[in-house]
Amino acid sequence: MNINNIPQLSIKNNHLHMDGRDIVEIAGHYGTPLYIGSEQRIEDNVREVQQAFQKYHANTTVHYAAKAETSLATLEIVHMAGGSLEVNSGGELYKGMRAGFAGKNIIFNGVAKTEKEIESAIVNEIKAINVDSPFELERIVETAMACKKQANVLLRIVPDVASGVAKGVETGTHECKFGTMLEDVPAMLHYAKEHEKWVCVRGFHFHIGTQTYHLTSFLESLQVLLEFAANIYKEMQFLPEIIDIGGGLPIPYFIDATASQYMQPSIYQMLRGVLTTDEIAEAVAGKLHAYDGIFKDCELLLEPGRKIVGDAFVMVSRVENKKYRRAMNENWIMLDAGLNVMSEVKNYHWYFPMVCANKITEPHMYPVKIAGPLCESGDVWMDYDGHKDLPDFRMMPESVTVGDYIAMLETGAYGTSMMSRYNGRPMAGVIIIRKDGSLFMAKKPETYEDLLTGEFSIAE
Ligand SMILES: Cc1ncc(COP(=O)(O)O)c(C=O)c1O
């Protein structure tokens, strides 16, 4: 039996397994909280996106968004699977190159790139720096002059289309901080032409947000970009070589519909994420091939993060305390993993399916409230603000108790990469199950000694 339709998850001996390995055993061995990932699933996801889009538009390149899960091993797996890379900082660029990506396979995004970051992008001859503003274009030209090397760029435009996803993860409207308004783009193209020795505009880019679950949001944004580009082509004879539609491919987060009764319909819809990659690919390619075919030879770029790693990892934690709140008639369990391990829950009111990994065949029908260990009222796995974005109760086996392992599924995206040491808690380790079934420590579970890294004593 698969869990949540994720092929690498299965059940054996009442335990959750990933790629045939016992999650409970791995957690017992390495300690919790712990992220456990599947090399096979990451590889399959890269290939699935590539193949889905290449079926409809052969000249498609998938640039994995490194920020979703930035472990060196994950970057290496994406590289070995034939993926390219999207980075958002000099640090991610550094790690990407350490993982084996060549500059020509890297795209660099960001709203506040430093001169040093721009310089390293230019020196490493990356495929494109996605320019965020007219000012930044000038900064890139000046840096290119100093480096005596031409910079490749895409212009990030604001399509002003809402993705319909929770506020805080929308990135394609005028309210957000990202990109350049269309009306500024012609002047940027003129400026680039005047400085063509130092800058080559290779095309246009947008990214409207994560977990974009309406096909219309992708299509409306693309329509804005293509209509604009078609006009620019007419007026300035500038034809983009690359059209980069960003990331945001959604994944389904639900085991079943029980959570729907506790959640706002729009949030529930968003987290169901039923839109398939194939549907998006077919519709996007259809649009790209319209417009009298002027864009049919363009390279189509995607920057998926969540879709590549989201369902490839589980996060396992252990129940460390329990209580019954008589006044509220509520049962609570307290885990060793809180928002220090998975800050997306607090930041974006995200929902992750949870199962009791060591009692997985027992009926999960007993409502409990679940909290993390931090000295923070908001460190709970439910909607603390009372907006009903998240379910208040999670369904667990009636026997759930201290010492049980709770696995949170589909925690591969924006989990490990947003961990912190808040409350003096060492960061969780990351174990990857290799394709041959062996376990690889991608990131060692931290110790108390790691809490002192880079700190100095004034007493000694
Ligand atoms: C510019 C850009 N590209 C790609 C992504 C990846 O998005 P996702 O993980 O939803 O695919 C992000 C994430 O926010 C982004 O900001």
Side-chain angles (χ1 to χ4, degrees):
M1 177 191 162
N2 291 334
I3 311 283
N4 220 23
N5 286 331
I6 304 168
Q8 82 275 11
L9 296 183
S10 60
I11 295 173
K12 219 167 115 191
N13 304 331
N14 204 13
H15 284 187
L16 176 66
H17 284 62
M18 180 185 254
D19 289 335
R21 297 293 307 243
D22 188 331
I23 292 294
V24 178
E25 205 179 287
I26 300 173
H29 180 75
Y30 289 97
T32 53
L34 186 72
Y35 280 91
I36 305 172
S38 158
E39 176 180 20
Q40 185 68 59
R41 188 64 183 169
I42 299 170
E43 185 182 299
D44 289 350
N45 285 339
V46 172
R47 302 233 160 100
E48 184 200 321
V49 179
Q50 261 167 354
Q51 283 162 10
F53 275 84
Q54 285 171 354
K55 184 163 103 187
Y56 300 103
H57 186 79
N59 190 7
T60 300
T61 314
V62 176
H63 286 256
Y64 165 62
K67 68 179 84 63
E69 209 294 296
T70 327
S71 305
L72 189 60
T74 292
L75 300 181
E76 287 169 335
I77 293 168
V78 171
H79 181 241
M80 288 187 290
S84 294
L85 196 68
E86 183 264 351
V87 300
N88 217 283
S89 68
E92 286 181 357
L93 176 61
Y94 170 78
K95 281 186 90 170
M97 298 202 75
R98 284 288 297 266
F101 290 95
K104 65 177 185 330
N105 295 323
I106 300 178
I107 295 283
F108 195 139
N109 269 298
V111 294
K113 302 176 199 84
T114 64
E115 279 166 4
K116 203 169 146 216
E117 287 176 322
I118 292 169
E119 185 188 309
S120 99
I122 294 172
V123 169
N124 287 302
E125 299 177 354
I126 72 163
K127 181 167 174 176
I129 303 170
N130 286 354
V131 183
D132 190 69
S133 70
F135 169 80
E136 191 179 74
L137 184 61
E138 289 174 25
R139 194 176 225 195
I140 289 169
V141 166
E142 280 160 23
T143 313
M145 284 173 174
C147 297
K148 299 193 173 30
K149 256 193 175 160
Q150 193 193 41
N152 292 311
V153 302
L154 303 179
L155 306 184
R156 179 166 182 169
I157 59 135
V158 185
D160 199 25
V161 169
S163 63
V165 182
K167 285 265 181 232
V169 288
E170 287 210 327
T171 55
T173 67
H174 287 145
E175 282 176 293
C176 307
K177 65 178 179 177
F178 302 93
T180 301
M181 285 177 65
L182 289 175
E183 64 198 49
D184 290 331
V185 171
M188 290 168 84
L189 289 171
H190 282 299
Y191 175 84
K193 182 92 190 113
E194 282 161 22
H195 297 86
E196 63 189 356
K197 183 167 178 211
W198 303 114
V199 70
C200 170
V201 179
R202 301 188 67 190
F204 300 119
H205 161 60
F206 66 74
H207 169 74
I208 56 171
T210 200
Q211 187 74 0
T212 302
Y213 65 106
H214 288 305
L215 186 56
T216 47
S217 307
F218 280 112
L219 297 184
E220 277 174 30
S221 316
L222 186 58
Q223 170 99 10
V224 170
L225 187 153
L226 295 179
E227 238 170 70
F228 176 77
N231 280 334
I232 289 279
Y233 179 51
K234 236 189 278 159
E235 285 162 23
M236 299 176 67
Q237 286 71 56
F238 172 82
L239 188 62
E241 178 198 335
I242 295 175
I243 290 181
D244 174 356
I245 64 167
L249 304 179
I251 63 171
Y253 280 94
F254 286 106
I255 293 178
D256 57 40
T258 49
S260 67
Q261 56 192 297
Y262 304 110
M263 300 170 88
Q264 261 183 33
S266 60
I267 304 285
Y268 175 68
Q269 273 272 325
M270 186 249 304
L271 289 166
R272 275 188 68 209
V274 287
L275 184 61
T276 67
T277 304
D278 195 81
E279 283 173 284
I280 301 169
E282 185 177 13
V284 162
K287 229 177 218 323
L288 199 61
H289 298 166
Y291 291 92
D292 300 326
I294 51 177
F295 303 116
K296 73 175 185 345
D297 295 326
C298 283
E299 181 181 354
L300 176 66
L301 249 65
L302 293 149
E303 302 174 354
R306 189 178 298 282
K307 179 73 191 170
I308 304 298
V309 289
D311 67 5
F313 288 76
V314 297
M315 191 270 281
V316 196
S317 68
R318 194 167 176 273
V319 182
E320 294 295 344
N321 188 12
K322 61 179 180 175
K323 62 179 78 162
Y324 173 60
R325 276 247 182 277
R326 195 162 292 103
M328 309 295 285
N329 190 26
E330 288 169 356
N331 285 294
W332 285 71
I333 55 172
M334 275 68 180
L335 310 181
D336 61 5
L339 304 178
N340 52 324
V341 181
M342 181 52 71
S343 78
E344 233 194 353
V345 171
K346 175 84 169 167
N347 290 348
Y348 306 124
H349 291 220
W350 217 262
Y351 167 92
F352 298 98
M354 292 187 191
V355 292
C356 186
N358 57 312
K359 294 176 176 171
I360 185 109
T361 49
E362 291 182 28
H364 284 49
M365 291 169 67
Y366 185 68
V368 288
K369 282 195 161 177
I370 303 186
L374 305 180
C375 186
E376 280 267 332
S377 311
D379 182 38
V380 287
W381 298 95
M382 63 199 186
D383 193 346
Y384 180 67
D385 299 334
H387 298 306
K388 287 269 173 270
D389 287 350
L390 296 175
D392 280 347
F393 292 93
R394 292 308 188 94
M395 296 302 170
M396 284 289 143
E398 193 168 354
S399 66
V400 71
T401 191
V402 172
D404 283 341
Y405 289 98
I406 307 299
M408 302 192 196
L409 313 183
E410 303 184 69
T411 41
Y414 308 105
T416 57
S417 49
M418 288 207 257
M419 279 195 289
S420 79
R421 297 187 180 123
Y422 184 48
N423 267 204
R425 292 187 171 268
M427 285 200 272
V430 180
I431 302 297
I432 291 190
I433 304 169
R434 303 287 325 258
K435 286 191 286 183
D436 64 5
S438 62
L439 300 180
F440 179 77
M441 192 190 283
K443 184 177 180 304
K444 89 176 167 56
E446 286 189 349
T447 61
Y448 289 152
E449 200 52 37
D450 294 309
L451 298 178
L452 297 173
T453 306
E455 294 189 16
F456 302 97
S457 164
I458 51 171
E460 284 169 15

